[in-house]
């Protein structure tokens, strides 16, 4: 580790497991003061202990404006600013056209679009020149995926938010970018196959056949892509989409 984020204050939403947790570990190890969010306080407390380095877990539903207000009030009181915001909270479910429900649409867009919009907008008063905003996209946002159209559409929206916000933030010195994972071994992905471990492995094996590298990704690999976007190494990277997908979206 090289203290690439030494002295920085980072907020990572949806960080109790998976990519968010892996990223929080990397950011903290690189010197950042890390605040993580999730919807289950007990899981958050365990995650914060696992991260170490003084990480703080704050129970937050990113689709709730009141929760976001409480989150940022705490960060403002405790740290005074935000240098890095990783809007990572989100999720989705599988339903093919013909079976899509209003509940699925509302839940997916609340988590992946509304939540991202207000996570970022409410953080802006605490951010300044040199700030980095990272949004979690997906290869699904730029390619078709059977039974995953609602999730895919929400991630396509995230990609365009970054493009538009790069213009809105012109002159502020704040960068906004998207990291777009391909299939990654996380609780969220394997959960699509239910609770049966054999079915989960079959799902991962299937995804591996679609990836040029021949395997699914690991959460730590996405975390290191996010680290690049968060750090000064990416000081002239803005409005971009960084694919960390083993080549999935490139062929």
């Amino acid at each position: 580790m090289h203290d690439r984020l030494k002295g920085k204050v980072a907020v990572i939403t949806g960080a109790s497991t998976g990519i968010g947790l892996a990223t929080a570990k990397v950011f903290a190890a690189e010197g950042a003061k890390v605040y993580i969010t999730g919807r289950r306080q007990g899981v958050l407390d365990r995650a914060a202990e696992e991260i170490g380095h003084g990480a703080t877990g704050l129970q937050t539903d990113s689709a709730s404006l009141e929760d976001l207000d409480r989150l940022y009030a705490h960060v403002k009181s405790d740290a005074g600013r935000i240098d890095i915001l990783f809007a990572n909270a989100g999720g989705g479910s599988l339903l093919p056209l013909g079976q899509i429900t209003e509940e699925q649409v509302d839940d997916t867009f609340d988590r992946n679009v509304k939540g991202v919009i207000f996570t970022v907008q409410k953080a802006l008063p605490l951010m300044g020149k040199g700030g980095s905003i990272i949004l979690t996209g997906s290869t699904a946002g730029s390619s078709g995926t059977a039974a995953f159209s609602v999730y895919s559409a929400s991630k396509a929206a995230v990609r365009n938010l970054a493009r538009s916000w790069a213009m809105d933030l012109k002159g502020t010195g704040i960068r906004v970018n998207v990291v777009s994972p391909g299939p990654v071994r996380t609780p969220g992905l394997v959960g699509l196959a239910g609770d049966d471990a054999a079915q989960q492995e079959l799902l991962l094996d299937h995804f591996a056949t679609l990836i040029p590298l021949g395997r699914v990704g690991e959460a730590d690999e996405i975390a290191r892509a996010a680290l690049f976007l968060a750090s000064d190494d990416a000081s002239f990277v803005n409005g971009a989409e960084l694919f960390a997908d083993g080549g999935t979206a490139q062929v």
Side-chain angles (χ1 to χ4, degrees), residues 1-4 23-32 34 51 53:
M1 300 301 175
H2 302 93
D3 291 333
R4 292 164 71 182
T23 303
K25 290 179 181 179
V26 169
F27 283 12
E30 290 284 354
V34 173
I51 295 161
H53 301 278

Side-chain angles (χ1 to χ4, degrees), residues 219-242:
D220 183 67
E221 294 178 295
I222 313 306
R224 297 193 175 280
L227 172 63
F228 167 68
L229 293 175
S231 74
D232 291 339
D233 292 344
S235 59
F236 201 54
V237 180
N238 191 27
E241 182 173 18
L242 174 57

Side-chain angles (χ1 to χ4, degrees), residues 54-128:
T56 302
L58 299 168
Q59 186 173 16
T60 306
D61 180 348
S62 294
S64 165
L65 275 60
E66 293 80 8
D67 279 12
L68 291 170
D69 286 338
R70 284 193 292 272
L71 165 67
Y72 292 132
H74 183 103
V75 174
K76 181 179 180 179
S77 175
D78 196 43
R81 71 182 193 281
I82 298 171
D83 300 301
I84 302 158
L85 174 65
F86 186 15
N88 171 70
S93 56
L94 290 165
L95 283 177
L97 183 64
Q99 298 179 31
I100 294 169
T101 65
E102 182 178 16
E103 180 183 16
Q104 186 204 25
V105 172
D106 288 345
D107 177 67
T108 304
F109 273 79
D110 275 356
R111 295 167 69 186
N112 296 350
V113 181
K114 176 187 173 183
V116 168
I117 290 170
F118 289 104
T119 293
V120 172
Q121 182 165 282
K122 288 180 173 291
L124 289 179
L126 295 177
M127 301 191 74

Side-chain angles (χ1 to χ4, degrees), residues 20-217:
L21 176 57
T23 303
K25 290 179 181 179
V26 169
F27 283 12
E30 290 284 354
K33 166 65 175 173
V34 173
Y35 298 86
I36 62 170
T37 78
R39 294 190 285 186
R40 295 170 294 170
Q41 189 64 53
V43 179
L44 271 175
D45 291 341
R46 290 191 292 274
E49 184 177 352
E50 189 175 340
I51 295 161
H53 301 278
T56 302
L58 299 168
Q59 186 173 16
T60 306
D61 180 348
S62 294
S64 165
L65 275 60
E66 293 80 8
D67 279 12
L68 291 170
D69 286 338
R70 284 193 292 272
L71 165 67
Y72 292 132
H74 183 103
V75 174
K76 181 179 180 179
S77 175
D78 196 43
R81 71 182 193 281
I82 298 171
D83 300 301
I84 302 158
L85 174 65
F86 186 15
N88 171 70
S93 56
L94 290 165
L95 283 177
L97 183 64
Q99 298 179 31
I100 294 169
T101 65
E102 182 178 16
E103 180 183 16
Q104 186 204 25
V105 172
D106 288 345
D107 177 67
T108 304
F109 273 79
D110 275 356
R111 295 167 69 186
N112 296 350
V113 181
K114 176 187 173 183
V116 168
I117 290 170
F118 289 104
T119 293
V120 172
Q121 182 165 282
K122 288 180 173 291
L124 289 179
L126 295 177
M127 301 191 74
K129 187 175 182 180
S132 175
I133 298 168
I134 306 163
L135 314 180
T136 296
S138 170
T139 53
S142 55
S143 61
T145 307
F148 220 29
S149 60
V150 175
Y151 176 85
S152 299
S154 73
K155 290 302 184 179
V158 167
R159 175 66 185 105
N160 196 271
L161 289 174
R163 284 192 169 105
S164 301
W165 289 345
M167 299 301 296
D168 288 342
L169 293 170
K170 184 177 181 180
T172 66
I174 300 171
R175 300 178 292 110
V176 56
N177 294 289
V178 180
V179 59
S180 286
V184 177
R185 190 190 309 271
T186 63
L189 180 65
V190 299
L192 293 173
D195 296 326
D196 183 86
Q199 290 300 315
Q200 292 175 354
E201 284 303 316
L202 284 174
L203 178 67
L204 294 176
D205 289 344
H206 167 70
F207 279 125
T209 66
L210 306 176
I211 300 171
L213 278 181
R215 62 175 178 84
V216 298

